[in-house]
Amino acid sequence: MKVSTLKFLEKLDANNSREWFNEHKNIYTDAREDVISFVEELIGQMTKFDKNIAKADAGKSLFRIYRDTRFSHNKAPYKTNFGASIAVGKAGYYLHIQPGQSFLAGGIYMLEKDNLKALRKEISGNVREFEKIVGEESFRHYFGGLSEEGKLKRVPSGFDKDDPVGEYLKLKNFVAVCPIADKALLEKDAPKKLAEIYRSLKPLNDFLNAAFV
């Protein structure tokens, strides 16, 4: 990835207006193309361990930089990051590029009520398999564990309060996050190194996707 891409995001953060953006549209276009090229390389590396990802399209995986401000108090018209969802199935991989705040993530976010209940049943019924996945050394090394954002205080109704995976059943999202330094994104072999981090996430995605087959 080019330094100029991160510089563009820094400038956009300091000048988040339509006037500035339109005057610097060429810089945005260059940055966007750089990110697409980066994601293409990343997908190429990821297909070495996840063949399904070969179906992913780098351009289509990129989220729009334009914010929907209709129902937000924050009226800034543009996101100050590039985000890409690399997925074939409900669970997938996510790349967030933002100076000083970049990260890799994966799993499933904001499931509908029925799907969430079905996934919790799958986890409760396959305790050893799930605990092995989230306890695996490389997964713990890179991601630490699953995010506890929105976690319930009690085991949800329909499940034994003493369920051995009760703490996981309290989760609303099954997501893992790994912070990435700017310098790591700028390294020549960054796509290869990031793909290796994603590799440790594949067993979790496989388990989550299998719950909806």
Side-chain angles (χ1 to χ4, degrees), residues 6-191:
L6 297 181
K7 292 293 185 183
F8 161 74
L9 291 173
E10 288 178 345
K11 291 176 181 177
L12 179 59
D13 189 31
N15 304 275
N16 202 329
S17 70
R18 289 182 176 83
E19 292 76 18
W20 184 90
F21 189 85
N22 289 332
E23 289 176 6
H24 299 81
K25 194 71 174 286
N26 60 318
I27 303 176
Y28 160 67
T29 301
D30 289 344
R32 184 177 185 278
E33 289 302 316
D34 181 42
V35 173
I36 290 175
S37 295
F38 186 88
V39 174
E40 283 178 342
E41 288 188 56
L42 184 56
I43 289 173
Q45 293 292 332
M46 293 169 69
T47 56
K48 295 177 181 180
F49 62 83
D50 192 338
K51 300 300 182 184
N52 287 329
I53 295 302
K55 303 172 187 175
D57 182 290
K60 292 180 180 179
S61 74
L62 210 63
F63 289 104
R64 297 173 77 248
I65 201 165
Y66 307 96
R67 294 184 64 250
D68 184 351
T69 61
R70 291 174 298 172
F71 310 107
S72 174
H73 292 298
N74 180 2
K75 297 302 180 182
Y78 306 103
K79 299 172 186 174
T80 54
N81 70 276
F82 283 110
S85 176
I86 307 169
V88 180
K90 289 184 179 296
Y93 310 88
Y94 175 72
L95 171 64
H96 184 95
I97 300 170
Q98 184 174 8
Q101 301 179 58
S102 298
F103 62 86
L104 307 184
I108 295 183
Y109 188 67
M110 295 183 68
L111 274 170
E112 295 179 358
K113 184 178 180 180
D114 289 345
N115 285 336
L116 179 56
K117 185 175 182 179
L119 178 54
R120 284 169 169 161
K121 285 184 176 179
E122 191 72 15
I123 292 171
S124 181
N126 296 276
V127 174
R128 289 186 179 179
E129 181 183 357
F130 189 75
E131 287 187 329
K132 181 179 179 181
I133 290 170
V134 295
E136 202 277 325
E137 186 177 352
S138 62
F139 175 78
R140 303 292 297 188
H141 173 72
Y142 290 119
F143 296 94
L146 295 176
S147 170
E148 296 191 352
E149 178 186 350
K151 184 177 180 180
L152 301 174
K153 292 183 178 180
R154 297 183 178 85
V155 174
S157 60
F159 296 92
D160 189 332
K161 64 181 180 65
D162 296 319
D163 192 300
V165 284
E167 290 303 308
Y168 293 115
L169 301 181
K170 295 177 184 179
L171 298 177
K172 284 187 172 183
N173 305 299
F174 291 83
V175 173
V177 179
C178 175
I180 295 295
D182 292 351
K183 64 179 182 180
L185 290 172
L186 299 174
E187 291 179 5
K188 186 176 180 180
D189 58 350

